[in-house]
Amino acid sequence: MTDEQAGFGRIMEIMRRLRGPGGCPWDAEQTHESLKRYLLEEAYEVIEAIDAGSPEMLREELGDLLLQPVFHAVVAEERGAFAMADVLETLAEKLVSRHPHVFGDQVVRTSDEQIENWERIKQKEKAQERRSALAGVPAHLPALMRAQKVTEKASRVGFDWTRVDEVHAKVMEELAEFEEAMAAGNQQRMEAELGDLLFAIVNLGRFLALDPEEALRKTIERFTRRFSHIEETLHDRGVALKDASLAEMEALWEEAKAGEAGG
């Protein structure tokens, strides 16, 4: 038995004890439904650790994320639905079947070819339960990420623009339609046109090999850092945020922005 196998087995036993008689009341109360939020939270904390560039932080957060499938597997095991061994076997079979260029004699030369091949295999595997070319995109994904996945799948069956300038023109068209709705003061139409505009921008990002979810996340981080600079500087000057003028705050914003560029 390898160290990895022994370690994984130990984690499974710890979770079974936590859920069992004399274990932890909180752990024992959890269900698949109650655990959903933690799965998302831990995934985002892993992303934060990656961005921080800290191996120690990443190691810890990966462990916290790993706890979630372990937790779900033990809950399912108690109900007689499936066990962790079934999860691992299904995963192993999927990895082998979807990489015939590694475990078989198929030839794949590029990442793009592999993505197309992966999708073909998935559609074949799920032919009975999934009929749409857009099937398989989780409904609970963040909206920008879901939009990107949907447009990626549509493009693989030929429903796509051919040039980036066409996509850019579509963004400008949607912006004009949003401005018209805004001028008319029609709230319902504004919402629809804003959605169309965001969707078009996501499509433009995909065409330029830019991840819109990642781009927006980084923008939020920059906004947070710069706004924190405003707050901290005003605090050091003895000025309350609500008492500062917009011009004063904008000057500090530009100061923070210049500092980032200089760094």
Side-chain angles (χ1 to χ4, degrees):
M1 180 181 293
T2 65
D3 291 343
E4 288 87 352
Q5 290 170 324
F8 194 76
R10 183 179 177 218
I11 295 301
M12 291 297 298
E13 289 305 315
I14 289 173
M15 180 50 64
R16 291 185 183 110
R17 181 174 177 184
L18 290 172
R19 293 271 299 178
C24 173
W26 185 89
D27 287 285
E29 290 173 357
Q30 301 312 304
T31 65
H32 292 307
E33 288 295 319
S34 70
L35 290 169
K36 287 193 298 187
R37 57 170 288 195
Y38 301 107
L39 183 60
L40 286 172
E41 287 176 7
E42 298 300 349
Y44 283 119
E45 288 181 10
V46 168
I47 293 173
E48 187 176 348
I50 292 171
D51 288 345
S54 168
E56 294 78 14
M57 185 179 175
L58 180 58
R59 179 181 61 191
E60 179 178 354
E61 296 302 342
L62 283 173
D64 291 346
L65 180 60
L66 179 60
L67 173 62
Q68 297 309 306
V70 167
F71 214 143
H72 282 282
V74 171
V75 171
E77 179 183 85
E78 293 166 355
R79 297 178 178 179
F82 58 83
M84 179 57 82
D86 302 313
V87 174
L88 297 175
E89 181 60 25
T90 299
L91 174 58
E93 290 176 356
K94 184 183 297 184
L95 288 173
V96 171
S97 68
R98 294 186 185 178
H99 291 86
H101 56 296
V102 177
F103 300 101
D105 55 8
Q106 186 173 350
V107 176
V108 171
R109 297 178 179 83
T110 67
S111 296
D112 287 341
E113 285 184 14
Q114 168 53 15
I115 292 172
E116 292 175 6
N117 193 49
W118 179 284
E119 288 297 326
R120 281 196 299 270
I121 295 170
K122 280 177 64 177
Q123 289 176 6
K124 184 177 179 181
E125 290 173 350
K126 302 178 181 294
Q128 298 303 315
E129 58 182 284
R130 292 183 180 172
R131 301 182 183 278
S132 171
L134 302 182
V137 179
H140 289 84
L141 279 178
L144 289 179
M145 190 181 299
R146 187 181 180 198
Q148 183 181 22
K149 294 287 187 183
V150 165
T151 58
E152 284 175 353
K153 283 182 172 286
S155 72
R156 291 186 190 124
V157 294
F159 191 74
D160 202 2
W161 305 99
T162 55
R163 303 190 315 272
V164 69
D165 61 300
E166 295 174 327
V167 191
H168 181 263
K170 183 63 175 176
V171 171
M172 301 311 294
E173 175 189 322
E174 297 297 351
L175 176 59
E177 291 179 2
F178 174 69
E179 289 173 340
E180 289 175 8
M182 192 166 58
N186 186 322
Q187 194 73 16
Q188 186 174 3
R189 187 182 164 204
M190 276 193 285
E191 181 185 58
E193 296 299 347
L194 180 61
D196 290 347
L197 176 59
L198 290 171
F199 194 84
I201 290 172
V202 168
N203 220 4
L204 178 60
R206 176 182 62 83
F207 239 80
L208 297 172
L210 298 170
D211 184 333
E213 189 77 25
E214 183 73 0
L216 181 57
R217 189 178 64 81
K218 289 179 177 178
T219 292
I220 295 169
E221 290 298 322
R222 287 195 297 273
F223 180 92
T224 302
R225 286 196 306 270
R226 293 169 188 175
F227 194 80
S228 294
H229 174 75
I230 294 172
E231 290 181 307
E232 291 167 7
T233 304
L234 289 174
H235 179 269
D236 292 343
R237 293 176 181 176
V239 179
L241 192 62
K242 63 182 178 61
D243 295 329
S245 68
L246 179 58
E248 190 175 7
M249 288 191 284
E250 286 182 342
L252 290 173
W253 176 278
E254 291 300 325
E255 181 179 286
K257 186 176 178 180
E260 290 177 359

